[in-house]
Amino acid sequence: MPKKVKPAGDGKEEGPVPCKQVKVEAAGGPSPLNLDSPSGLFESLISPIKTETFFKEFWEQKPLLIQRDDPVLATYYRSLFRLSDLKSLCSRGMYYGRDVNVCRCVNGKKKILNKDGKVHFLQLRKDFDQKRATIQFHQPQRFKDELWRIQEKLECYFGSLVGSNVYITPAGSQGLPPHYDDVEVRGEETARLREDELLPARVFILQLEGEKHWRLYHPTVPLAREYSLEAEDRIGRPAHEFTLKPGDLLYFPRGTIHQADTPSGLAHSTHVTISTYQSSSWGDFLLDTISGLVFDTAKADVELRAGIPRQLLLQVETTAVATRKLSGFLRMLADRLEGTKELLSADMKKDFAMNRLPPYYLGDGVELSTPGGQLPGLDSTVRLQFRDHVVLTVGPDQDPSDETREKMVYIYHSLKNRRETHMMGNEETESHGLRFPLSHIDALKQIWNSSAISVKDLKLTTDEEKQSLVTSWPYVLTEVHRRKNSKLLNVPEGDKNHTS
């Protein structure tokens, strides 16, 4: 059983707390998050817990509560999102369902109080004050620069999409009943999906304003893959119970049943839920890799190209013959997979690159997408920049005019992604990047695996191929250093024949 601890303040004992609780006393100087690097950010986010300890003892295993008595960090957390921010955001054109949900827990059930169409701040504030409704704001990183900065680095750290939602709840009220995995996929998709279709994630709760009383329960389904409401008479007593204050952080793995309310007699509560690892399980990775593996194996094995038995699709049950055949094919694929170092993931990498945040920048970001500088030559040394925003994969040629469907190397990047559509399921999202013949794979891996490499040393047959490879990259992907004048140059976007 978890220990009971004395909180800072009135000295009264609280109820059960998570399996690990850390209290941090205020430091003498400021304690902002370390935004110099992705790893530095995550280390400071969960400080004083060490990263190695977190992934060994807590990640996907049990909750972690970090309570801080740090006024500087509390002030910083408050700056991430406030109730007062809603007025200016509503003036920019927010819509119910897509950007904002209004809800309240009534008799153990979630009651949606959304209006139709555009959100008006006065109506929103009226529902908040009079109906004691919770305001849920989807993906605030689209508008709040500091959340963009944090989540962009966390996407680099995890190698997975990182979304967020803000929950603002008045005193003496509760927005959601006990549930697990209530993490929205993407704004527009949320409006179309039923609650039981929402995808699970690992979540970090940052308390921004006021206080929030939390109750966590043991999972009924470990690492659950779907959303579920749970009746209180089924889940029993809370395993952990505590109150978050500004500057505090809570982590819990998917499947953790939870509910939270704002205590009576206090100000409203604001917290942000930062979620990651949606659809990033081994099962998802297997589904992503198996199609490419079958494609490659079928080219080499005639059995996989042979037709299925006549009328197999008309059967109401899978036949014993089909089951034996499929089992044999799976063993064949497993044998082929053992020991291979080929790039396997394709769609997951592309989806990540297409839908993630662009690099955080100040100003208008023109420098990320405007070509400039000189073309590199054979005497140049090149290196990859924005490495965390670029993925490399191999897949069938996507050119519909190519009937042979030869394999190609694809490079996707997020440098031209639009922050405004992040995690919103926008159907107009497009991929940005390049494609190369499969013969270029070793040279591309050289660029990937080197801090800098001479163009002459690239593993390509001719100097022309080497020159073409480095000049076809947008300058945002590589930097060039010419030995003769030691001047850093930007590589402009080159041969459009390589752009997908």
Side-chain angles (χ1 to χ4, degrees):
M1 291 290 293
K3 295 179 181 178
K4 290 183 177 180
V5 297
K6 291 184 177 180
D10 57 14
K12 296 179 181 178
E13 287 190 339
E14 289 193 330
V17 297
C19 301
K20 178 70 175 183
Q21 182 190 42
V22 179
K23 279 189 170 288
V24 185
E25 299 300 322
S31 317
L33 297 179
N34 178 2
L35 291 159
D36 292 337
S37 67
S39 59
L41 168 61
F42 188 73
E43 288 171 4
S44 64
L45 190 67
I46 64 170
S47 174
I49 295 296
K50 300 298 183 183
T51 302
E52 181 181 355
T53 301
F54 175 79
F55 285 104
K56 182 178 179 180
E57 298 182 13
F58 299 98
W59 179 251
E60 295 191 330
Q61 298 174 63
K62 61 185 178 183
L64 169 65
L65 170 64
I66 302 177
Q67 293 183 307
R68 298 178 169 109
D69 183 15
D70 189 334
V72 175
L73 190 60
T75 299
Y76 173 76
Y77 271 29
R78 289 190 190 100
S79 72
L80 297 178
F81 199 104
R82 299 181 176 93
L83 173 63
S84 57
D85 291 331
L86 288 173
K87 185 173 184 179
S88 61
L89 287 170
C90 287
S91 68
R92 300 174 66 166
M94 303 293 116
Y95 288 85
Y96 286 103
R98 186 192 72 178
D99 303 298
V100 173
N101 274 338
V102 181
C103 61
R104 187 178 179 188
C105 179
V106 180
N107 298 323
K109 295 183 179 180
K110 179 181 177 181
K111 184 177 182 180
I112 301 292
L113 303 173
N114 286 356
K115 306 295 188 292
D116 292 327
K118 205 170 185 178
V119 179
H120 297 283
F121 176 73
L122 292 179
Q123 179 63 55
L124 194 65
R125 190 62 198 250
K126 182 179 178 181
D127 290 338
F128 182 79
D129 292 331
Q130 297 181 9
K131 297 183 179 180
R132 319 306 296 161
T134 289
I135 299 170
Q136 179 186 27
F137 193 91
H138 300 149
Q139 311 305 336
Q141 72 278 6
R142 295 177 291 149
F143 310 103
K144 300 291 289 182
D145 286 353
E146 197 66 5
L147 284 173
W148 170 22
R149 193 179 180 192
I150 290 170
Q151 290 177 230
E152 179 257 320
K153 280 194 164 49
L154 288 177
E155 287 186 333
C156 293
Y157 183 77
F158 285 106
S160 178
L161 295 175
V162 174
S164 67
N165 287 308
V166 165
Y167 296 85
I168 308 175
T169 303
S173 186
Q174 180 171 335
L176 301 170
H179 62 280
Y180 59 75
D181 296 325
D182 185 20
V183 179
E184 279 61 26
V185 186
R186 295 166 192 167
E188 291 181 357
E189 294 179 18
T190 301
R192 297 194 296 267
L193 294 177
R194 302 191 313 272
E195 287 177 338
D196 60 352
E197 292 174 321
L198 298 179
L199 297 184
R202 290 71 169 167
V203 297
F204 297 86
I205 311 292
L206 279 61
Q207 185 66 25
L208 310 184
E209 292 184 306
E211 298 182 9
K212 202 68 173 281
H213 170 237
W214 285 81
R215 284 167 284 175
L216 307 185
Y217 305 80
H218 292 302
T220 54
V221 181
L223 297 181
R225 287 188 60 86
E226 63 282 320
Y227 174 92
S228 177
L229 292 173
E230 296 287 351
E232 289 198 58
D233 59 356
R234 179 169 179 255
I235 59 179
R237 293 175 57 83
H240 318 301
E241 189 169 1
F242 50 88
T243 298
L244 291 183
K245 298 179 181 180
D248 292 348
L249 178 141
L250 169 66
Y251 161 80
F252 53 79
R254 61 178 182 171
T256 302
I257 302 168
H258 55 278
Q259 61 177 321
D261 62 273
T262 303
S264 300
L266 300 176
H268 67 271
S269 164
T270 303
H271 76 263
V272 60
T273 296
I274 296 177
S275 59
T276 189
Y277 261 60
Q278 297 95 334
S279 300
S280 295
S281 69
W282 278 113
D284 297 308
F285 190 72
L286 179 61
L287 286 173
D288 187 41
T289 59
I290 199 75
S291 59
L293 191 60
V294 171
F295 178 86
D296 290 344
T297 307
K299 293 182 71 173
D301 194 299
V302 68
E303 277 196 86
L304 277 172
R305 303 199 300 272
I308 60 176
R310 185 172 54 84
Q311 296 190 339
L312 177 63
L313 302 182
L314 300 178
Q315 305 299 317
V316 295
E317 293 181 349
T318 304
T319 66
V321 172
T323 300
R324 285 196 301 271
K325 201 74 171 175
L326 289 174
S327 297
F329 287 145
L330 288 174
R331 283 189 287 270
M332 177 199 304
L333 293 174
D335 291 339
R336 182 182 178 93
L337 188 59
E338 284 288 342
T340 184
K341 292 185 178 181
E342 294 181 7
L343 293 165
L344 298 172
S345 175
D347 290 339
M348 286 179 70
K349 284 189 172 185
K350 181 179 179 181
D351 181 75
F352 177 45
M354 285 176 60
N355 293 292
R356 63 177 300 191
L357 284 163
Y360 176 79
Y361 54 80
L362 298 174
D364 56 13
V366 171
E367 66 276 10
L368 293 183
S369 57
T370 303
Q374 301 180 38
L375 293 173
L378 290 173
D379 60 343
S380 300
T381 297
V382 297
R383 67 181 181 185
L384 190 66
Q385 63 176 354
F386 296 108
R387 183 182 301 273
D388 289 338
H389 283 266
V390 188
V391 298
L392 185 151
T393 188
V394 174
D397 193 347
Q398 298 171 9
D399 185 351
S401 64
D402 186 356
E403 297 181 358
T404 61
R405 298 280 287 171
E406 293 296 326
K407 292 179 72 173
M408 302 287 289
V409 183
Y410 289 91
I411 294 173
Y412 299 105
H413 65 82
S414 58
L415 305 180
K416 296 182 181 180
N417 288 3
R418 295 180 58 223
R419 165 196 180 190
E420 296 79 9
T421 61
H422 183 242
M423 299 293 285
M424 296 302 291
N426 194 315
E427 295 179 0
E428 297 180 357
T429 300
E430 60 178 322
S431 60
H432 303 288
L434 307 95
R435 67 175 186 168
F436 297 95
L438 191 59
S439 59
H440 286 47
I441 184 68
D442 289 337
L444 290 167
K445 287 181 178 180
Q446 283 180 283
I447 295 175
W448 235 267
N449 296 328
S450 304
S451 57
I453 187 169
S454 169
V455 175
K456 287 183 178 180
D457 293 335
L458 293 175
K459 294 180 180 179
L460 289 169
T461 306
T462 67
D463 288 347
E464 183 179 0
E465 286 180 318
K466 298 174 183 179
Q467 180 85 45
S468 176
L469 173 61
V470 296
T471 56
S472 65
W473 288 61
Y475 88 98
V476 289
L477 300 183
T478 57
E479 293 177 339
V480 179
H481 177 261
R482 289 183 186 272
R483 289 189 297 274
K484 60 183 179 181
N485 58 12
S486 298
K487 181 180 179 182
L488 282 175
L489 304 173
N490 290 324
V491 182
E493 189 173 6
D495 184 2
K496 296 292 184 180
N497 291 330
H498 287 294
T499 304
S500 59

